[in-house]
């Protein structure tokens, strides 16, 4: 159940657990905030997890930033950072292929860089 569907009491308990350092609570709270569009508060919970290689947190940050980069080039560097981090954490080169596809659709249309990325994978 998404955090947005929790009762106020459940959200309060989740936040309290997150503040005590519970990793599951931090992820669930951050992901719920991200899903509701409260990106800055979500990053408070997700970035430390992602920096510690929490796969789901990395993925959430990467794809959220990539979606935003489609219409606002200010998010491109953040999206690239977290997508590359996801590829390292997951040890899945297909993430880099997906990143190349995403880059082509970003606001600045980074087609040449996307092609270089794919060429480097070949």
């Amino acid at each position: 159940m998404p955090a947005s569907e929790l009762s106020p009491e459940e959200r309060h308990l989740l936040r309290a657990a997150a503040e005590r350092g519970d990793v599951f609570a931090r992820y669930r709270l951050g992901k719920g905030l991200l899903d509701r569009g409260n990106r800055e508060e979500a990053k408070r919970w997700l970035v430390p997890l992602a920096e510690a290689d929490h796969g789901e947190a990395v993925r959430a940050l990467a794809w959220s930033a990539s979606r935003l980069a489609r219409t606002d080039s200010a998010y491109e560097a953040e999206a690239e950072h977290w997508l590359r981090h996801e590829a390292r954490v997951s040890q899945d080169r297909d993430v880099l292929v997906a990143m190349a596809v995403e880059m082509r659709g970003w606001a600045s249309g980074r087609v040449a860089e996307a092609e270089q990325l794919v060429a480097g994978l070949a």
Side-chain angles (χ1 to χ4, degrees):
M1 171 183 304
S4 59
E5 295 178 18
L6 299 173
S7 72
E9 181 180 346
E10 290 169 321
R11 279 195 300 275
H12 173 75
L13 292 172
L14 186 61
R15 184 174 296 279
E19 288 173 354
R20 285 192 310 275
D22 181 280
V23 172
F24 175 77
R26 286 176 176 219
Y27 171 72
R28 186 144 179 238
L29 180 61
K31 181 70 167 80
L33 290 163
L34 194 60
D35 291 345
R36 287 192 316 273
N38 192 340
R39 195 158 197 289
E40 290 310 308
E41 187 178 354
K43 286 171 64 175
R44 171 183 174 211
W45 302 105
L46 294 175
V47 167
L49 294 175
E51 289 173 344
D53 296 342
H54 184 285
E56 289 94 1
V58 173
R59 187 173 305 109
L61 290 167
W63 293 100
S64 169
S66 187
R67 280 189 302 276
L68 292 168
R70 292 175 191 164
T71 56
D72 186 344
S73 62
Y75 290 97
E76 291 179 15
E78 181 181 350
E80 184 173 353
H81 168 78
W82 289 119
L83 286 165
R84 287 185 185 278
H85 195 102
E86 181 184 359
R88 280 192 306 275
V89 169
S90 67
Q91 297 181 348
D92 185 355
R93 291 172 50 128
D94 288 343
V95 172
L96 295 175
V97 174
M99 183 174 97
V101 170
E102 284 293 304
M103 289 171 80
R104 295 175 62 93
W106 287 349
S108 67
R110 295 169 58 185
V111 176
E113 288 179 72
E115 290 172 356
Q116 286 177 337
L117 179 61
V118 172
L121 294 172

